[in-house]
C-alpha cells in the first residue's frame, strides 16, 4: 500500500510539471507568432531588428516611419527648370568704356565692345571674330560669315510674340527666360531670344551650323549675356578749339607754348611726322603714337591751361589739356591730360610725356 501511495504522488507531481512546461511552450509560441506577424507587416527593412528584445518593435516602427514622411532632397546635379534663368540682365547695363575677354579652348581671348551700327546695343566681340553686315543688319561672328549673332528691334506686339520659328527644343537653352524657339535656314539653325533693354523690345538671333554648335553656342550665349547699351551720338568735329593761354613775353616760354600747340594740332590731325618733330626722343614718339594716334578715335581739344614754365621745384614745364574723345564705336568721354616738356641739348623745350 505504501508503495502504491508513493507512486500516485510522483505521478501527480510529474503531471503538474508537464502543465507548467506546456504553458511555457504556449507563451513562447505566442511570442514567436507575434514576432513573425510584425515582420510580415513591416517589410524587409525590419529583418535586421528581428534579434532585438520584444520591447523594440515600436521603436523600429518609428524609425521606419520617419523616412516615409521626410521630403526627399533634390539632386545637386538636376538641370534648371525651363524658363528659370535670365540670359540677359533685366537692366541691360550702359557701356562704360571697359573691355572684356573670353576663354576659348583654354586660351584667354581679348574682346572689345562692338556696337550695332543702327541700334543702341553692342556685344563684346572676341578678336578672333568680325563684325559685318548681314541682310541689312549688323552681325557678329566667324570670319567666313557662316555663324553669327544679329539683333532686331521689335516695333509691334506681333513682332514680339510672333516670328517664323517653332518652340525651342535645345536642352541647354530651354532654361533661359528669353528663349523663344528656333527655325532652320539652309545649313544653319537659328535660335531666337526676346528681351527688353531700356523699355524697348528686341529679338536676338544666333545663326549656327550643326557642326559648330558645341564649340560656338556657349560663346554666342556669353556674348548675348554680356551685351551693353549705348545711345548713338552725333560725331564730334576733331581739332583745336581753345583760347591760347598767356605765358608771358619770355622767348623760352613762347617756344614751350608753341611746341605744345604743334603737338596738339598734330595729335588732332593724326599727323605722325609733325607729332614726332615735337617729341623729346624717338622712343617716346613711338610709345605716344601707339597710344594716341594709332587708333580710330577722334579728338576735340577744348582748353589749355598753363601749369608752369618751369613748374616750381622742377626742371620741366607743363600744361593741362582738356579734350573730348569719341571712339570708333561712338563712345564719348571727357578727359584731361598733362603735357610735360623738358629742354633738350639745344635748350629747346620738347614734349617729354603726355599722361
Amino acid at each position: 500500500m505504501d508503495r502504491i501511495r508513493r507512486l500516485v504522488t510522483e505521478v501527480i507531481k510529474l503531471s503538474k510539471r508537464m502543465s507548467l512546461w506546456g504553458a511555457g511552450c504556449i507563451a513562447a509560441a505566442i511570442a514567436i507568432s507575434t514576432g513573425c506577424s510584425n515582420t510580415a507587416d513591416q517589410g524587409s527593412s525590419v529583418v535586421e531588428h528581428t534579434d532585438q528584445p520584444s520591447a523594440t518593435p515600436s521603436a523600429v516602427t518609428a524609425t521606419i516611419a520617419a523616412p516615409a514622411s521626410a521630403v526627399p532632397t533634390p539632386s545637386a546635379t538636376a538641370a534648371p527648370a525651363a524658363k528659370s534663368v535670365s540670359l540677359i540682365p533685366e537692366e541691360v547695363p550702359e557701356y562704360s568704356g571697359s573691355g572684356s575677354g573670353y576663354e576659348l579652348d583654354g586660351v584667354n581671348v581679348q574682346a572689345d565692345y562692338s556696337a550695332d551700327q543702327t541700334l543702341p546695343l553692342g556685344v563684346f566681340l572676341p578678336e578672333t571674330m568680325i563684325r559685318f553686315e548681314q541682310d541689312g543688319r549688323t552681325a557678329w561672328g566667324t570670319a567666313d560669315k557662316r555663324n553669327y549673332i544679329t539683333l532686331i528691334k521689335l516695333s509691334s506686339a506681333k513682332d514680339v510674340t510672333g516670328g517664323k520659328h517653332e518652340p525651342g527644343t535645345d536642352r541647354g537653352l530651354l532654361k533661359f527666360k528669353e528663349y523663344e524657339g528656333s527655325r532652320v535656314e539652309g545649313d544653319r539653325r537659328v535660335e531666337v531670344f526676346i528681351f527688353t533693354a531700356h523699355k524697348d523690345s528686341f529679338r536676338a538671333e544666333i545663326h549656327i551650323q550643326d557642326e559648330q554648335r558645341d564649340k560656338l553656342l556657349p560663346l554666342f550665349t556669353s556674348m548675348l549675356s554680356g551685351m551693353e547699351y549705348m545711345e548713338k551720338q552725333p560725331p564730334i568735329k576733331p581739332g583745336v578749339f581753345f583760347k591760347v593761354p598767356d605765358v608771358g613775353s619770355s622767348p623760352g616760354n613762347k617756344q614751350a607754348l608753341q611746341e605744345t600747340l604743334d603737338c596738339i594740332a598734330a595729335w588732332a590731325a593724326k599727323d605722325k611726322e609733325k607729332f614726332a618733330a615735337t617729341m623729346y626722343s624717338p622712343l617716346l614718339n613711338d610709345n605716344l603714337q601707339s597710344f594716341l594716334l594709332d587708333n580710330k578715335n577722334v579728338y576735340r581739344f577744348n582748353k589749355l591751361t598753363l601749369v608752369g614754365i618751369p613748374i616750381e621745384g622742377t626742371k620741366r614745364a607743363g600744361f593741362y589739356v582738356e579734350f573730348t574723345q569719341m571712339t570708333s564705336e561712338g563712345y564719348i568721354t571727357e578727359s584731361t591730360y598733362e603735357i610735360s616738356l623738358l629742354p633738350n641739348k639745344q635748350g629747346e623745350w620738347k614734349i617729354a610725356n603726355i599722361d
Side-chain angles (χ1 to χ4, degrees), residues 28-334:
I30 293 171
I32 292 171
S33 175
T34 303
C36 292
S37 176
N38 286 343
T39 300
D41 291 342
Q42 293 170 359
S44 60
S45 60
V46 184
V47 171
E48 62 187 32
H49 300 290
T50 55
D51 292 334
Q52 297 296 321
S54 60
T56 59
S58 61
V60 172
T61 303
T63 302
I64 296 169
S69 61
V71 178
T73 303
S75 171
T77 59
K83 300 285 186 179
S84 63
V85 178
S86 292
L87 174 64
I88 301 166
E90 292 184 7
E91 294 293 333
V92 176
E94 293 197 16
Y95 178 56
S96 63
S98 63
S100 187
Y102 303 98
E103 183 173 317
L104 304 178
D105 298 326
V107 178
N108 291 322
V109 177
Q110 176 66 29
D112 293 322
Y113 187 76
S114 180
D116 191 293
Q117 298 301 283
T118 58
L119 302 176
L121 293 167
V123 300
F124 285 95
L125 183 67
E127 59 187 4
T128 54
M129 292 188 171
I130 63 171
R131 179 178 61 193
F132 55 95
E133 184 176 305
Q134 182 69 33
D135 300 326
R137 298 192 292 270
T138 299
W140 302 272
T142 54
D144 62 6
K145 302 181 181 181
R146 304 298 298 276
N147 301 274
Y148 54 87
I149 295 172
T150 59
L151 301 175
I152 305 163
K153 184 176 181 180
L154 305 179
S155 57
S156 68
K158 181 180 179 181
D159 290 335
V160 174
T161 59
K164 297 179 180 179
H165 55 266
E166 299 176 352
T169 58
D170 187 286
R171 295 183 64 185
L173 300 179
L174 285 172
K175 63 184 177 183
F176 295 125
K177 297 177 181 178
E178 301 87 350
Y179 186 43
E180 287 294 310
S182 63
R183 66 179 185 273
V184 175
E185 288 185 354
D187 64 342
R188 292 185 295 270
R189 179 167 289 277
V190 183
E191 304 293 357
V192 181
F193 305 82
I194 303 294
F195 67 98
T196 300
H198 291 241
K199 299 182 180 181
D200 288 323
S201 295
F202 298 88
R203 184 167 77 240
E205 296 185 348
I206 295 177
H207 301 245
I208 195 166
Q209 296 173 300
D210 286 342
E211 61 268 25
Q212 296 292 330
R213 191 175 186 89
D214 290 344
K215 178 180 180 180
L216 294 179
L217 187 58
L219 173 60
F220 284 154
T221 53
S222 292
M223 290 167 65
L224 289 178
S225 179
M227 191 177 344
E228 294 191 356
Y229 187 90
M230 186 177 70
E231 289 281 2
K232 294 289 182 290
Q233 301 292 333
I236 64 174
K237 183 178 180 180
V240 179
F241 301 90
F242 56 70
K243 181 180 179 181
V244 177
D246 182 10
V247 297
S249 58
S250 166
N253 287 14
K254 289 184 177 182
Q255 187 268 319
L257 173 62
Q258 189 59 52
E259 207 73 21
T260 302
L261 294 175
D262 291 346
C263 173
I264 293 172
W267 180 359
K270 295 186 179 291
D271 188 325
K272 293 188 174 184
E273 185 176 350
K274 290 183 177 180
F275 188 86
T278 68
M279 294 292 109
Y280 186 81
S281 70
L283 178 59
L284 178 68
N285 173 62
D286 291 342
N287 290 337
L288 288 181
Q289 286 205 20
S290 175
F291 179 57
L292 300 175
L293 273 62
D294 292 342
N295 55 49
K296 297 180 181 179
N297 297 346
V298 175
Y299 298 93
R300 176 189 175 94
F301 295 93
N302 305 312
K303 186 176 182 180
L304 186 67
T305 304
L306 172 65
V307 181
I309 309 174
I311 299 173
E312 186 176 353
T314 73
K315 294 181 179 180
R316 63 186 179 88
F319 294 86
Y320 288 131
V321 63
E322 300 176 24
F323 61 92
T324 303
Q325 171 184 279
M326 174 177 267
T327 70
S328 59
E329 298 304 311
Y331 182 62
I332 296 177
T333 55
E334 304 284 342

